[in-house]
Amino acid sequence: QVQLAESGGGLVHPGGSLRLACVASGNIVSINVMGWYRQAPGKERELVATMASTTNYADSVKGRFTISRDNAKNMVYLQMNSLKSEDTAVYYCNAWVTTGWGTRRDFWGQGTQVTVSS
């Protein structure tokens, strides 16, 4: 089995910063893409940022959020600056994993709440 665990969410004032972290563990041979998605109340889950050989950001977070990876530790980070109330959501980690069983599929973390409020 493969597990993803997020950390770093919380309550922050508008304009503030948070750093999310996600670690993948289990029967992992390699990880291709790692990324972050979010889901606000009443809305569909949406892409925030992904990172493989290149990075990809949602237009709404460009210039404010930065994704990074530590491949040796199977970790992905999301540095979030200049946070806005509309960034409030549950943030989910996602990873495309080649497992020791020879399968390739994506896995999801359980999510971490980010609330931006004064």
Side-chain angles (χ1 to χ4, degrees), residues 9-41:
L11 173 65
V12 63
H13 293 309
S17 298
L18 280 176
R19 187 182 190 227
L20 306 183
C22 172
V23 59
S25 61
N27 194 2
I28 298 169
V29 172
S30 64
I31 302 176
N32 183 8
V33 183
M34 295 190 83
W36 294 93
Y37 292 72
R38 66 186 182 187
Q39 187 166 18

Side-chain angles (χ1 to χ4, degrees), residues 7-105:
S7 61
L11 173 65
V12 63
H13 293 309
S17 298
L18 280 176
R19 187 182 190 227
L20 306 183
C22 172
V23 59
S25 61
N27 194 2
I28 298 169
V29 172
S30 64
I31 302 176
N32 183 8
V33 183
M34 295 190 83
W36 294 93
Y37 292 72
R38 66 186 182 187
Q39 187 166 18
K43 295 187 177 181
E44 295 186 353
R45 191 173 298 188
E46 63 176 5
L47 178 147
V48 176
T50 61
M51 187 172 189
S53 57
T54 59
T55 57
N56 181 39
Y57 293 95
D59 288 342
S60 60
V61 307
K62 283 180 180 177
R64 300 187 299 122
F65 291 11
T66 303
I67 189 171
S68 61
R69 286 175 64 170
D70 184 335
N71 292 326
K73 297 180 179 179
N74 289 336
M75 294 194 71
V76 63
Y77 305 93
L78 186 68
Q79 178 66 44
M80 305 186 293
N81 299 328
S82 303
L83 282 160
K84 306 174 181 179
S85 58
E86 51 262 45
D87 295 318
T88 295
V90 178
Y91 283 69
Y92 296 92
C93 178
N94 175 270
W96 278 91
V97 177
T98 299
T99 71
W101 298 287
T103 59
R104 183 176 179 272
R105 53 156 287 191

